[in-house]
Amino acid sequence: MLAPTPPMGWNSWNTFGPDVSARVVMETADVFVREGLKDAGYEYLVIDDLWEAGERVDGHLSWDARKFPDGIKAVADYVHSKGLKFGLYSCAGSHTCAGMPASYGYEEVDAQTFAEWGVDFLKYDFCYAPPGVEGPTLYQRMGQALRATGRPILYSICEWGSNKPWLWGAKAGGHMWRTTGDIVDSWESIVDIGFRQQVGLEPYAGPGHWNDPDMLVVGMYGKGNVARGGCSDAEYRSHFSLWCLQAAPLMIGCDVRVMRPVTRETLLNREAIAVDQDPLGRQGYHVGSIDHGGETAAVWARPLEDGSVAVGLFNLGERESRLMVVGWESIGLHDRRPCTVRDLWAHEDLGTFTSNFTTRVNRHDVALLRITPVAG
Ligand code: GLA
């Protein structure tokens, strides 16, 4: 099965947009190995839109020769030589969102091309869809074409939640599907996409098929293609924690060649990644919010394979800090059951508690906890 746990990797769009190139991808592959991203589980390097030539060549998609002087296969070969996997982008309409040639009417030809180039992951967008054809039908077509190549290609559906892809994405062959429009590098975007628009989608995710709240903006700090002012370290930490609780694909969007130490710590937090990659594959859910006087706090929880529960206590309000509490019953644990509590950012055991746990959470920050019932 492809994607037994949420896919992890990097995508060129958030930072590079039109400036993606063979050089950027190859240097990113080097950094993945050198900085331990590969060892932590990040695997797919995906080239997003604007890799294409402006016209098809003999009916086939081709590449922008200024950005990819040796073609796409050469980049795929390089990525494979580092023990990583290679992804590419196309679109279900006549053109990609950036206006380049896309796969409508060429699904089988293009799938074959991707397979020949060594593509392991296809992100398939939804711009310029022909009128009169249902979205799910278009996605079904490419899903079938990918399967017909015989190459295992992870299929990433990107139709922004327009036709509720959580209801049909897996049947169309999808391994993940975007549930919303595009994320940008701002706290407002993280709150809107992550905290508001994912509520209630947890029944639809599981091994082999995941909800995708879009790529990470962790570590962008206001630089790059989708930069909109940037976020604080705490805000990126909250963003990463929420995505892990939601069993979201973890596709890095920053320039890993120039990561700050805190970005490295965030993206390489093995205990948070273990939550994301938990083999049970159950997506976390919104336990509740406290909302009074404009002060907002949210609690999310995710049941894990070993019987423990991962919990995020998020202070979304503007107050410097606030006390937050999680009660055992609200996360499916017995009220009188003693449980150990571990802080997954401090990497510290906090002790054994019964009934509930209270802690102070700073503005826009998170307490990410692993709550484990004591045996016996
Ligand atoms: C759409 C997608 C983005 C990105 C761009 C590329 O907006 O949702 O993730 O792929 O197209 O043009």
Side-chain angles (χ1 to χ4, degrees), residues 289-297 322:
S289 288
I290 311 158
D291 204 339
H292 50 117
E295 276 296 314
T296 313
R322 70 181 303 152

Side-chain angles (χ1 to χ4, degrees), residues 13 48-49 89 97-98 123 125 127 158 160 178 182 214-215:
W13 187 252
D48 207 285
D49 204 353
Y89 163 100
C97 295
K123 173 173 170 181
D125 218 335
C127 285
C158 177
W160 325 308
R178 281 271 297 279
D182 293 7
D214 207 358
M215 301 169 288

Side-chain angles (χ1 to χ4, degrees), residues 50 112 121 142 151 308 354 358 361:
L50 290 171
Q112 200 54 47
F121 178 118
M142 183 50 96
R151 185 178 173 85
S308 55
T354 343
T358 303
V361 185

Side-chain angles (χ1 to χ4, degrees), residues 24-239:
V24 163
V25 180
M26 288 157 80
E27 289 179 0
T28 298
D30 294 344
V31 171
F32 260 50
V33 174
R34 198 171 61 230
E35 301 276 352
L37 289 157
K38 180 185 167 198
D39 284 346
Y42 294 97
E43 185 178 22
Y44 291 94
L45 297 198
V46 181
I47 300 177
D48 207 285
D49 204 353
L50 290 171
W51 62 268
E52 310 89 346
E55 301 288 341
R56 284 183 177 263
V57 176
D58 299 329
H60 294 273
L61 286 175
S62 188
W63 53 87
D64 182 329
R66 282 166 311 145
K67 300 175 185 173
F68 299 95
D70 301 318
I72 296 297
K73 183 163 190 305
V75 182
D77 288 348
Y78 187 84
V79 168
H80 290 148
S81 78
K82 300 286 164 183
L84 296 164
K85 293 192 169 139
F86 177 73
L88 203 57
Y89 163 100
S90 189
C91 184
S94 58
H95 295 81
T96 71
C97 295
M100 307 310 280
S103 297
Y104 176 63
Y106 292 92
E107 289 86 354
E108 280 163 26
V109 181
D110 291 354
Q112 200 54 47
T113 303
F114 300 146
E116 280 162 18
W117 287 347
V119 167
D120 307 298
F121 178 118
L122 179 69
K123 173 173 170 181
Y124 204 50
D125 218 335
F126 197 45
C127 285
Y128 299 98
V133 191
E134 299 282 330
T137 308
L138 293 172
Y139 280 92
Q140 183 89 40
R141 268 184 212 167
M142 183 50 96
Q144 223 157 2
L146 290 174
R147 264 196 309 279
T149 67
R151 185 178 173 85
I153 299 179
L154 195 153
Y155 186 26
S156 165
I157 292 176
C158 177
E159 60 83 84
W160 325 308
S162 314
N163 297 287
K164 301 198 170 134
W166 46 90
L167 298 178
W168 51 265
K171 231 174 81 199
H175 300 95
M176 55 191 267
W177 44 79
R178 281 271 297 279
T179 55
T180 69
D182 293 7
I183 198 168
V184 295
D185 181 20
S186 77
W187 177 239
E188 291 68 34
S189 179
I190 290 169
V191 170
D192 182 39
I193 284 183
F195 287 96
R196 300 211 181 97
Q197 298 197 49
Q198 306 309 316
V199 176
L201 294 183
E202 64 277 357
Y204 305 105
H209 52 99
W210 308 99
N211 291 306
D212 174 13
D214 207 358
M215 301 169 288
L216 300 168
V217 293
V218 174
M220 290 185 66
Y221 295 102
K223 287 210 187 71
N225 188 44
V226 304
R228 302 287 189 280
C231 301
S232 67
D233 296 345
E235 290 167 345
Y236 287 136
R237 199 159 39 237
S238 293
H239 166 35

